[in-house]
């Protein structure tokens, strides 16, 4: 296992299987990680009352951030939940430590139901960016025929995980637009000069239309929403007011959602 600290309370983990090969997966799917109840927790975690049995395996699902064409490890983008059962234990892991990785990956938050010629708007808050990183790392280079916009909202500039990589991808791939926005820019070093507010404000301001040269519309654009459930509810209302429909198995639409808590 490898670990990178993005900011306080945010880490990137890379997990490699021991003695077995990673199975195929679709970008946007998730894997299950686990640690026993006896695993140590970070000091800032809330007390557990009662604590889990020491030998009980605590398991949770996390979206995969690595490319599906990368077969050596899986990458995860994680936020510390101080009241959680697993992330306070995951945050105590060090390089080389072992943890449980489920052998099957699943999830429907993928590009499977998006037409190959449809443009994409990928909207995330916090670690909801993870499945989009897998999609971009897997498909971006071959998708120059479609416009793709990534809107990522965070509290502080330092919380914009993968910012350097996304800025570099946007420079190298003109069909990719990266639109970060923060809600608390005060005191940032260096000072924050980007958008301030929430992801909904980016949509309302028409910044995607300005970047693309045309507005995203239901006839040719699919929108993915991942992260804070309140953000998703607000965005769904905004999008439905413009003619977009939420996608369901028996009623195809252009809005795809994944609520992170």
């Amino acid at each position: 296992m490898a670990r990178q600290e993005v900011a306080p309370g945010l880490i990137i983990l890379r997990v490699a299987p021991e003695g077995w090969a990673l199975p195929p997966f679709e970008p946007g799917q998730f894997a299950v990680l686990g640690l026993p109840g006896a695993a140590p927790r970070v000091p800032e975690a809330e007390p557990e009352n009662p604590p889990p049995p020491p030998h009980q395996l605590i398991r949770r699902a996390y979206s995969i951030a690595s490319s599906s064409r990368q077969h050596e490890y899986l990458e995860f983008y994680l936020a510390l939940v101080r009241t959680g059962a697993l992330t306070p234990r995951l945050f105590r892991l060090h390089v080389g430590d072992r943890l449980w990785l489920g052998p099957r990956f699943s999830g429907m938050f993928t590009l499977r139901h998006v037409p190959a010629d449809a443009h994409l708007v990928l909207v995330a808050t916090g670690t909801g960016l993870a499945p989009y990183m897998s999609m971009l790392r897997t498909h971006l280079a071959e998708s120059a025929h479609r416009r793709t916009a990534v809107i990522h909202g965070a509290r502080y500039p330092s919380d914009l995980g993968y910012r350097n990589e996304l800025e570099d991808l946007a420079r190298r791939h003109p069909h990719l637009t990266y639109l970060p926005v923060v809600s608390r820019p005060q005191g940032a070093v260096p000072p924050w000069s980007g958008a301030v507010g929430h992801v909904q404000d980016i949509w309302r301001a028409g910044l995607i239309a300005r970047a693309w040269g045309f507005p995203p519309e239901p006839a040719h654009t699919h929108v993915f929403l991942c992260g804070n459930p309140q953000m998703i509810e607000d965005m769904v209302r905004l999008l439905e007011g413009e003619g977009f429909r939420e996608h369901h198995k028996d009623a195809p639409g252009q809005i795809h959602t994944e609520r992170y808590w």
Side-chain angles (χ1 to χ4, degrees):
M1 187 215 74
R3 167 195 168 116
Q4 173 191 345
E5 183 169 349
V6 176
L10 286 173
I11 59 173
I12 293 172
L13 289 185
R14 286 184 174 179
V15 180
E18 290 186 354
W20 55 282
L22 291 174
F25 69 92
E26 292 183 64
Q29 292 189 313
F30 58 82
V32 178
L33 301 178
L35 285 169
R41 306 165 76 233
V42 292
E44 58 267 37
E46 296 289 334
E48 292 181 300
N49 188 21
H55 299 294
Q56 175 183 308
L57 187 63
I58 303 168
R59 293 178 286 190
R60 296 290 185 272
Y62 298 100
S63 292
I64 302 167
S66 44
S67 168
S68 65
R69 297 174 179 172
Q70 200 292 118
H71 304 298
E72 296 179 3
Y73 59 81
L74 296 179
E75 185 169 294
F76 302 92
Y77 182 33
L78 307 178
L80 174 63
V81 180
R82 289 178 172 81
T83 58
L86 186 55
T87 60
R89 291 174 166 86
L90 291 173
F91 271 67
R92 274 292 298 270
L93 293 174
H94 301 286
V95 174
D97 285 348
R98 302 174 78 245
L99 71 163
W100 186 83
L101 172 64
R104 296 181 180 178
F105 313 143
S106 56
M108 300 300 294
F109 192 67
T110 69
L111 300 175
R112 186 183 309 172
H113 300 291
V114 178
D117 59 348
H119 304 301
L120 296 172
V121 179
L122 310 176
V123 184
T125 55
T127 55
L129 185 66
Y132 304 150
M133 295 308 301
S134 183
M135 294 175 186
L136 295 171
R137 288 166 162 176
T138 303
H139 296 302
L140 181 62
E142 66 192 28
S143 300
H145 60 281
R146 67 168 21 144
R147 294 278 191 164
T148 300
V150 177
I151 305 175
H152 186 205
R155 290 183 179 181
Y156 308 104
S158 59
D159 292 342
L160 291 168
Y162 297 103
R163 178 183 170 190
N164 290 340
E165 180 175 346
L166 287 166
E167 289 177 340
D168 180 62
L169 287 174
R171 281 192 294 267
R172 293 190 288 112
H173 301 277
H175 59 288
L176 173 65
T177 300
Y178 172 51
L179 298 168
V181 56
V182 301
S183 58
R184 301 180 186 178
Q186 300 83 0
V189 179
W192 175 250
S193 59
V196 175
H198 300 90
V199 296
Q200 300 91 313
D201 301 319
I202 299 297
W203 183 273
R204 292 190 188 100
L207 297 186
I208 296 175
R210 192 179 307 171
W212 287 3
F214 58 89
E217 296 176 347
H220 53 62
T221 302
H222 280 236
V223 181
F224 283 68
L225 308 172
C226 188
N228 186 314
Q230 186 60 58
M231 175 277 286
I232 292 176
E233 291 179 17
D234 292 346
M235 281 298 302
V236 168
R237 281 195 295 270
L238 273 175
L239 293 164
E240 288 180 341
E242 299 181 20
F244 290 85
R245 298 189 313 275
E246 194 161 357
H247 178 83
H248 299 285
K249 186 176 181 180
D250 56 350
Q254 308 86 16
I255 306 172
H256 309 261
T257 64
E258 183 93 312
R259 291 165 174 82
Y260 254 40
W261 62 81

